[in-house]
Amino acid sequence: MAFDFDQIIPRRHTDCLKYDELEARYGRAELLPLWVADMDFRVAPCVTAALQRLVDHGVYGYHVRRPRHQQAIVDWWGRRHGYTVHPEAIVYTPGVVPVLSHLVQALTGEDDGVLVQSPVYYPFFWLPRVNRRRLVINPLIEHQGDYQIDFDDLEAKAAQARILIFSSPHNPVGRVWRPDELERVASICLRHGLVLVADEIHNDLVFAPHRHTPVARLSPEIERITVTAHAASKTFNLASLATAYVLIADAGLRARFAAHHEALAVDGLNPFGLEATVAAFNEGEPWLAELLVYLRGNYQYLCAQLQARLPQVRVGPLEGTYLAWLDCRATGLTPPQLRQRLVEVGGLALNDGPIFGPGGEGFQRLNLACPRATLAEAVARLERALALPGSDR
Ligand SMILES: Cc1ncc(COP(=O)(O)O)c(C=O)c1O
């Protein structure tokens, strides 16, 4: 391996969310945190070098975007996902969550329905609420750890909504949606006149033989109703650099969004985020290739360890993302007991299933993007927290 993912890099006292907010979020500071979706790995050297060039220059005046910035995005999607992005389709934004909110504001009116699936990344619920839209939920169907879309329910719920916010690949259940599933989702949106907002931020974190399909690539008709949200931040661990973008191929849809975006005046660009994105996309593929091998190794390690030591906790299949979805229902603990045992007995900070909405009860989300030694410690803590009373383990 050319890159060292085993190195433990201390993050406490750096004002990072994952470690330095534990007291505020979990009531205890000294927990092992495998919750929020960032990585404990140092970024690719090409990213550090790009940022170092800016630091060395030392002048941080206003910045403008250039064709080379867009070209890095165009090339990335072409190479990685076989999708042709036209530079004019790219609209920059400080983050995917902010832009999801802006899309809700731009494309729906007060009390309009916003359709989401469940369980899902928690801002999908609160963004419609804080924007005073009506939340419409299409629950995923779970059977022994496998998640499927309930298309009949989606069809019925689509009639009550103006947009669908869709997680692809899916956080937290780890599905990489197949082209036939995406076709059906998109055709329902087309039939009912919904805009399909595809949050594809996890799309480069996919494990073979699975492959990500950009929903907008499926047909010109589908592309016309799709807004794809993306950033280099998840793949290359750049979340704090606050740089993301949406792809809106259809000029009319883009104009609808642009009018609102202009009014928000959030178009300013952060050169650190922009240059890090360009470096990651243009030069970061060797690092990403090794990252994916390491993450898959972590997933396999977790599965093997839990099967041997804590079989009552089941790890769902992981087709994409670095987020393991742990089914803890067989422990017999209620969701509050589960949460309490993990924190108080295990000393472990995971994401509590119920925050991902209906269907999250009895589950926990565990972030695999950490050194193997950290994961080994997390397994020991899980075992301490959840071993059944009276078990000899
Ligand atoms: C599905 C999904 N969308 C968006 C984000 C966050 O995006 P941003 O940091 O650009 O707001 C995350 C982070 O975990 C995510 O999982």
Side-chain angles (χ1 to χ4, degrees):
M1 284 250 192
F3 307 103
D4 183 5
F5 297 105
D6 280 325
Q7 190 189 357
I8 295 187
I9 302 169
R11 296 183 65 190
R12 282 187 199 274
H13 312 301
T14 61
D15 291 338
C16 75
L17 175 60
K18 197 186 221 167
Y19 287 78
D20 293 334
E21 276 283 294
L22 288 168
E23 174 89 57
R25 306 255 174 160
Y26 292 84
R28 289 180 56 180
E30 293 308 313
L31 304 176
L32 186 69
L34 287 85
W35 63 292
V36 64
D38 70 17
M39 306 200 252
D40 286 343
F41 307 130
R42 181 162 284 133
V43 296
C46 59
V47 171
T48 304
L51 296 177
Q52 193 63 53
R53 282 192 291 276
L54 286 176
V55 169
D56 289 345
H57 186 240
V59 181
Y60 309 124
Y62 294 111
H63 208 67
V64 290
R65 80 192 53 156
R66 290 285 178 225
R68 70 180 179 85
H69 300 129
Q70 278 139 304
Q71 196 58 45
I73 295 172
V74 169
D75 291 346
W76 182 259
W77 282 83
R79 268 199 323 277
R80 303 285 306 187
H81 303 294
Y83 177 45
T84 305
V85 170
H86 297 285
E88 64 276 12
I90 301 169
V91 183
Y92 290 100
T93 157
V96 168
V97 170
V99 84
L100 293 179
S101 189
H102 301 157
L103 286 159
V104 166
Q105 293 159 10
L107 303 177
T108 67
E110 202 160 324
D111 291 328
D112 277 346
V114 174
L115 181 54
V116 305
Q117 298 178 307
S118 178
V120 81
Y121 180 54
Y122 34 91
F124 284 26
F125 298 109
W126 60 255
L127 289 176
R129 283 198 191 110
V130 294
N131 284 301
R132 293 186 297 281
R133 271 42 171 187
R134 202 164 31 80
L135 187 63
V136 183
I137 299 180
N138 165 231
L140 295 174
I141 300 171
E142 186 262 341
H143 179 64
Q144 299 191 335
D146 175 48
Y147 282 86
Q148 298 294 329
I149 294 171
D150 183 341
F151 289 103
D152 292 338
D153 184 74
L154 186 68
E155 181 95 49
K157 301 283 172 61
Q160 307 164 27
R162 300 287 298 277
I163 65 171
L164 166 67
I165 309 183
F166 184 66
S167 181
S168 175
H170 189 94
N171 169 12
V173 309
R175 279 295 318 276
V176 173
W177 305 113
R178 294 185 312 268
D180 63 298
E181 294 171 302
L182 295 168
E183 293 264 9
R184 287 183 74 180
V185 169
S187 66
I188 289 172
C189 290
L190 277 164
R191 254 196 309 283
H192 294 275
L194 273 68
V195 175
L196 203 179
V197 176
D199 177 345
E200 299 193 4
I201 195 168
H202 293 277
N203 70 2
D204 298 304
L205 298 159
V206 167
F207 305 102
H210 303 282
R211 280 185 69 84
H212 174 74
T213 304
V215 67
R217 196 192 72 193
L218 289 174
S219 74
E221 205 186 10
I222 293 171
E223 190 180 43
R224 267 198 295 281
I225 61 153
T226 301
V227 178
T228 305
H230 192 251
S233 58
K234 210 55 56 186
T235 316
F236 289 98
N237 209 24
L238 311 173
S240 64
L241 299 183
T243 300
Y245 56 90
V246 282
L247 307 175
I248 313 179
D250 183 72
L253 187 56
R254 196 164 62 244
R256 263 172 84 192
F257 177 65
H260 180 71
H261 203 231
E262 199 180 346
L264 291 167
V266 289
D267 202 29
L269 290 179
N270 160 3
F272 286 86
L274 204 54
E275 295 306 334
T277 300
V278 169
F281 283 173
N282 286 348
E283 305 165 59
E285 277 178 303
W287 183 90
L288 175 57
E290 288 197 13
L291 171 76
L292 289 172
V293 171
Y294 196 88
L295 292 173
R296 186 198 280 270
N298 271 1
Y299 173 69
Q300 288 164 343
Y301 173 86
L302 178 71
C303 292
Q305 290 290 316
L306 290 184
Q307 202 173 22
R309 296 161 64 176
L310 201 58
Q312 62 271 38
V313 174
R314 239 167 95 156
V315 193
L318 190 74
E319 299 174 357
T321 83
Y322 52 66
L323 306 163
W325 187 232
L326 307 184
D327 180 352
C328 306
R329 290 173 296 183
T331 61
L333 299 169
T334 63
Q337 286 169 335
L338 183 59
R339 187 165 49 238
Q340 190 260 344
R341 288 273 282 274
L342 288 167
V343 172
E344 302 295 329
V345 182
L348 201 52
L350 305 181
N351 282 106
D352 198 21
I355 68 170
F356 299 93
E361 306 81 7
F363 288 80
Q364 294 283 321
R365 194 189 74 176
L366 180 148
N367 181 339
L368 292 162
C370 59
R372 188 89 25 99
T374 305
L375 186 58
E377 175 61 24
V379 170
R381 288 172 182 235
L382 264 176
E383 190 180 16
R384 192 158 76 220
L386 301 182
L388 293 175
S391 125
D392 56 2
R393 295 182 191 281

